[in-house]
Amino acid sequence: MTVGHNYSMTINGEAVSSTSSIDVINPATEEVFAQAPECSREQLDAAVRAAHRAFAGWSATPYEQRQALVHALGQAILDDLDTLSTLLTREQGKPLFEAKIEITSLGRLLQAQSTITLPVDVAEDGPDRIVETHHVPIGVVAAIVPWNFPMLLSGFKIGPALLTGNTMVLKPSPFTPLTALKLGELTRSILPPGVLNVISGADELGPWLTNHPLIDKISFTGSTGTGQKVMESAAASLKRLTLELGGNDAAIVLPDVDVEKVADKLFWSAFGNNGQICIATKRMYIHKDIYEPLKQALTAYAARIKVGDGAQKGTRIGPINNRPQYDRVRGLIEDSRKNGYAFLTGGEEHQGPGYFIPVTLIDNPPEDSRIVAEEQFGPVLPLLRYDTVDEVIKRANDCEYGLAGSVWSSDEDKALAVARRLKTGTVFINHDQYLSPFAAFGGQRKSGLGVEGGLPGLLEYTYTQTLVRRKRRAGTVE
Ligand code: NAD
């Protein structure tokens, strides 16, 4: 069913439609169920200019007032939970309960961020001078997000950028534009015009945005390949940059775990959001002493999980979000089959509409196989047997990515010792994936540049401005 033009962009606080549109597909049915505006180059320019004009007033607005408005935006999102979650499930595919978690997390994230304040760092306060560093806003931020958590990942950019006095143009993925456009609608009655503009469009919109001369900073979340292109385009005018990119996270399971107790947690560390999480477990290293029982427990657990339309009750895992990603994940499955790796469960091709891939576990494929070496970003997990801690740490770290990882053990000290040797931005210890609004999150090596989250995440949206003042005599500033 085609719903038509119910969606508009938000430019300078106003609803803006377009002459052409992009189809939005429900990945569970492959039906086009809505159209989103296709932003023209002129409209993009209008959005960036609106943000540029709004910057003077917004950056001069007292910090407390900006905190209140970001908090109010969080509340408006929480108040609109049902509409936003239903729409998110329809365009993204995730089960409704997960969509509700994402929308709720976004509302609470904005509210949590709005409690963080910017420090003034006093570097020197002696008899002759006082030297202090302030954190001042950068200007217009281009925020570009992917389709796996279109709302939550937008929140990691919107809150810090706006709190610190920047204005923004937000561009969601062409696969999931609608919830972001609805978010734009909510901002119209809360934020001053031009402070947060939301635009949607096709593939060329991203490069248009990153190349625009009035963009001062780009905050990008997506694949490493695209991140590298974004970095190139930022170089021309030395735009500030935060990149949150891909990962190939290892879970290391030590021999002392209680297999029955950890199996479901390990399962969801890999298969939450259908494996489409940057910090999902993408390689699971299991000690040889427990390899067989844990392998069996994971396979048995997988058999109990309902994969289906996210809008249907009881669905735990939805479809892959879009056709190109579906083809990529299927390609990795076919590569594993061609190479003769053993499948513990899954791997079959889905008959019928929807980008469905069954939960697939592959039994100890070689370390240099594609399914181990590449980021799959889907419901296919290699289980890998290891002998010693030194060996598994080396295998886990021998990776171009460095986003996150996890360690599982009954002995927290042992787990901590392993965690400290992992070369990743985050390590979860007997814990599911959790991003604190108050902690830095970022990737090492090809997983990114800079951080989001907490005060460090706010500071990414600021320049430092150091004020050096002479004191006429002790205690008095000249
Ligand atoms: P993608 O790189 O294909 O697209 C991300 C966004 O960039 C989309 O909005 C897209 O339209 C836009 N884009 C595409 N080409 C562009 C260009 N040349 N210039 C500017 N923008 C452009 O990524 P995806 O497939 O949407 O998302 C999956 C990837 O995102 C995975 O690799 C995953 O690990 C990564 N990811 C990382 C994090 C993190 O925080 N590190 C979080 C979520 C997802």
Side-chain angles (χ1 to χ4, degrees), residues 459-474:
L459 295 181
E460 292 261 329
Y461 291 89
T462 63
Y463 288 133
T464 55
Q465 185 182 51
T466 296
L467 303 179
V468 183
R469 290 177 288 163
R470 187 172 299 287
K471 283 183 177 170
R472 197 176 300 153
R473 54 181 188 281

Side-chain angles (χ1 to χ4, degrees), residues 144-149 153 171-175 201-210 220-227 229-230 233 243-247 276-279 282 322 325 375 377 401 403 435 441-443 447-448 452:
I144 300 179
V145 292
W147 43 260
N148 62 330
F149 283 94
L153 297 174
K171 189 205 88 63
S173 164
F175 297 114
D203 289 344
E204 62 279 4
L205 189 55
W208 287 350
L209 186 56
T210 58
F220 171 85
T221 301
S223 62
T224 296
T226 310
K229 288 186 197 152
V230 168
S233 83
L243 300 175
E244 295 287 353
L245 307 177
Q276 303 165 120
I277 308 184
C278 54
I279 50 174
K282 289 167 185 155
N322 57 74
Q325 183 60 15
E375 179 190 41
F377 219 62
Y401 295 112
L403 193 57
L435 298 186
F441 169 73
S447 286
E452 292 190 322

Side-chain angles (χ1 to χ4, degrees), residues 315-329:
T315 295
R316 299 294 303 275
I317 293 181
I320 293 285
N321 171 255
N322 57 74
R323 168 64 68 179
Q325 183 60 15
Y326 175 82
D327 290 343
R328 236 185 57 74
V329 179

Side-chain angles (χ1 to χ4, degrees), residues 127 222 234 282 316 327 351 366 373-374 378 388 390:
K282 289 167 185 155
R316 299 294 303 275
D327 290 343
Q351 305 298 324
E374 292 183 20
T388 69
D390 284 347

Side-chain angles (χ1 to χ4, degrees), residues 271-386:
F271 293 101
N273 206 38
N274 206 3
Q276 303 165 120
I277 308 184
C278 54
I279 50 174
T281 294
K282 289 167 185 155
R283 306 173 276 160
M284 191 175 289
Y285 291 97
I286 305 171
H287 190 268
K288 64 176 179 3
D289 291 355
I290 51 160
Y291 188 82
E292 289 303 321
L294 184 52
K295 169 177 122 177
Q296 277 159 23
L298 287 166
T299 310
Y301 190 82
R304 301 207 294 272
I305 299 305
K306 184 179 166 196
V307 177
D309 186 333
Q312 280 169 11
K313 245 192 159 142
T315 295
R316 299 294 303 275
I317 293 181
I320 293 285
N321 171 255
N322 57 74
R323 168 64 68 179
Q325 183 60 15
Y326 175 82
D327 290 343
R328 236 185 57 74
V329 179
R330 284 256 31 120
L332 287 170
I333 290 176
E334 288 322 311
D335 179 79
S336 298
R337 201 185 291 289
K338 221 175 53 213
N339 281 292
Y341 310 148
F343 285 64
L344 296 165
T345 185
E348 312 88 11
E349 194 149 356
H350 170 72
Q351 305 298 324
Y355 307 134
F356 292 103
I357 292 182
V359 169
T360 301
L361 293 170
I362 302 184
D363 192 4
N364 205 29
E367 198 72 3
D368 63 355
S369 58
R370 285 187 58 203
I371 191 58
V372 178
E374 292 183 20
E375 179 190 41
Q376 63 274 54
F377 219 62
V380 188
L381 179 71
L383 305 184
L384 301 152
R385 186 196 293 260
Y386 76 88

